[in-house]
Amino acid sequence: MALATTAALLMGVSIVSPAAAAEPAPIVDLSDSDEVKVREFFDKFNVAEDTQDRLIAEFEAGGTWDAQSSTAKARKKSVREIDGVSWTVSTYADGSVRAEGIGEGPASAGGVTPFGVDGCGYKAGATGNFSSCHIYYWVGVVQLGFYANFTISKTGYDKITSAWSGTLFAGGACSQNVPEARVVKGTESSTGKAVAGLTAQATMCATSFTVNFPSYLHVGGNQATHVYS
């Protein structure tokens, strides 16, 4: 699941004078507070400090991490319990990490700190009505989430009854647009799963590039999954 358009950052080619070439300006400039958030994420998921330094330098130079790609294959995937929170964690060859899942966070939360709080009742293979589930992902430089109510039924089609809210943190961004999550397709059918979610946008400070951040819930086949594309 991917930040496909983040690759647009790679198109920002800077032309500098020879005098300036020794210290090129970063394409994406993380503020001190943004870098603190990113390093807190890396620390939570045991990313070594030298790997953190390299990944942050690569990001600021306009690169993308494997964890941001829809095509990169995870080197390792696990479910980890951290501070009572259940995370599905994917680790990639470049050392980057993606954490995601379907859990419950305070619906009134205005920020991204509570992402990953488990408790909406959904577990893989479970059936029933699931309320105020928090659909989220976190890759260090990006956190994005929304809420949804959905029903898993083994005797009929699965449904998403409502979706709402939307929160985003995008490191290096000067502005952002986060639409309200919505139900795209309410009921599973023979043509596909029920779908809800949103695509947020952020404008990167150093380049003025607008980057899309999609996040969608797919419900069908007696399961709910987060789709990062």
Side-chain angles (χ1 to χ4, degrees), residues 53-175:
D53 294 341
R54 173 176 52 79
L55 289 170
I56 289 172
E58 289 174 357
F59 179 77
E60 291 192 319
T64 54
W65 301 339
D66 289 348
Q68 297 173 286
S69 168
S70 60
T71 57
K73 302 297 183 183
R75 182 180 63 191
K76 179 175 65 175
K77 183 172 285 191
S78 62
V79 175
R80 296 177 56 188
E81 300 291 332
I82 301 175
D83 299 329
V85 176
S86 180
W87 299 91
T88 298
V89 182
S90 300
T91 303
Y92 293 83
D94 65 351
S96 60
V97 171
R98 181 192 305 161
E100 59 191 313
I102 300 169
E104 184 177 10
S108 61
V112 295
T113 304
F115 279 16
V117 177
D118 188 41
C120 80
Y122 178 73
K123 300 294 182 184
T127 60
N129 298 319
F130 301 97
S131 299
S132 298
C133 291
H134 200 180
I135 319 304
Y136 57 87
Y137 70 78
W138 193 3
V139 296
V141 288
V142 178
Q143 294 177 325
L144 177 61
F146 65 94
Y147 296 86
N149 297 329
F150 58 91
T151 300
I152 302 288
S153 172
K154 288 190 176 179
T155 60
Y157 285 128
D158 301 335
K159 299 179 180 179
I160 301 175
T161 53
S162 58
W164 68 97
S165 189
T167 54
L168 171 68
F169 159 70
C174 284
S175 64

Side-chain angles (χ1 to χ4, degrees), residues 26-39:
I27 291 178
V28 180
D29 190 8
L30 288 176
S31 67
D32 290 344
S33 60
D34 284 355
E35 185 170 335
V36 167
K37 290 186 177 76
V38 174
R39 289 190 183 274

Side-chain angles (χ1 to χ4, degrees), residues 16-27:
V16 297
S17 67
E23 296 184 8
I27 291 178

Side-chain angles (χ1 to χ4, degrees), residues 150-228:
F150 58 91
T151 300
I152 302 288
S153 172
K154 288 190 176 179
T155 60
Y157 285 128
D158 301 335
K159 299 179 180 179
I160 301 175
T161 53
S162 58
W164 68 97
S165 189
T167 54
L168 171 68
F169 159 70
C174 284
S175 64
Q176 62 184 44
N177 175 36
V178 186
E180 186 82 2
R182 66 185 183 90
V183 177
V184 178
K185 179 183 178 183
T187 304
E188 176 192 16
S189 69
S190 59
T191 60
K193 298 179 179 181
V195 178
L198 72 153
T199 296
Q201 294 182 322
T203 300
M204 310 311 287
C205 297
T207 63
S208 297
F209 281 129
T210 297
V211 184
N212 290 332
F213 300 102
S215 182
Y216 288 86
L217 169 70
H218 286 203
V219 178
N222 300 327
Q223 65 177 341
T225 54
H226 170 240
V227 177
Y228 177 71

